[in-house]
Amino acid sequence: TGGEGRVITSCRLSCLALRRDTSSQANNNSPARRLLVAHASLDPHLPALFSLDASSSRRSNSRRGPSLGPDGLRLTRSRMDLWFEDSNAAGHAYKVLSSKIAKARAKRGGNIKAALLAR
């Protein structure tokens, strides 16, 4: 309620995707709500507090996700559940994080363009 949250891990915002959890609202009297945070990166190391996404490891025979080509690059997918005390706090966090992720992705595109033009 007071916005006293703490940052306990860090990773590139442009690698994140958010989703609201609707399953926790069904048949649940608790006001607590969660956001599902997904991380996808070519870096094989997971960010702190993220766990390997079991659904992506089932899709491929590798622990780290599907192969992206003959050079052996692999996409590593991980996830984290963020819990909030009520739907208002979860909704506010969703809006704030979504806008920060969109800005980071837009900036990433600008950085790629600048790097290509600098050559």
Side-chain angles (χ1 to χ4, degrees):
T1 30
E4 299 295 325
R6 304 285 188 257
V7 175
I8 51 177
T9 189
S10 65
C11 63
R12 294 179 149 242
L13 287 173
S14 59
C15 296
L16 296 180
L18 288 179
R19 197 179 72 201
R20 289 185 175 136
D21 182 25
T22 56
S23 64
S24 66
Q25 296 174 3
N27 300 325
N28 189 355
N29 293 334
S30 171
R33 296 292 175 252
R34 71 178 174 174
L35 291 179
L36 306 172
V37 183
H39 179 268
S41 174
L42 293 174
D43 185 1
H45 304 288
L46 304 178
L49 300 180
F50 280 75
S51 59
L52 189 64
D53 190 355
S55 63
S56 69
S57 63
R58 279 192 298 250
R59 280 184 261 157
S60 70
N61 293 332
S62 166
R63 275 193 80 227
R64 290 200 162 74
S67 175
L68 295 180
D71 53 2
L73 293 177
R74 296 196 178 275
L75 190 62
T76 303
R77 296 178 190 267
S78 56
R79 60 174 291 201
M80 175 175 55
D81 296 345
L82 287 178
W83 284 93
F84 297 89
E85 60 187 54
D86 59 23
S87 61
N88 290 337
H92 177 71
Y94 180 82
K95 288 177 188 174
V96 170
L97 285 172
S98 293
S99 70
K100 299 230 183 248
I101 290 169
K103 287 178 185 175
R105 288 183 179 166
K107 185 177 180 183
R108 176 181 65 179
N111 291 342
I112 292 171
K113 181 180 175 182
L116 291 174
L117 293 176
R119 289 183 178 232

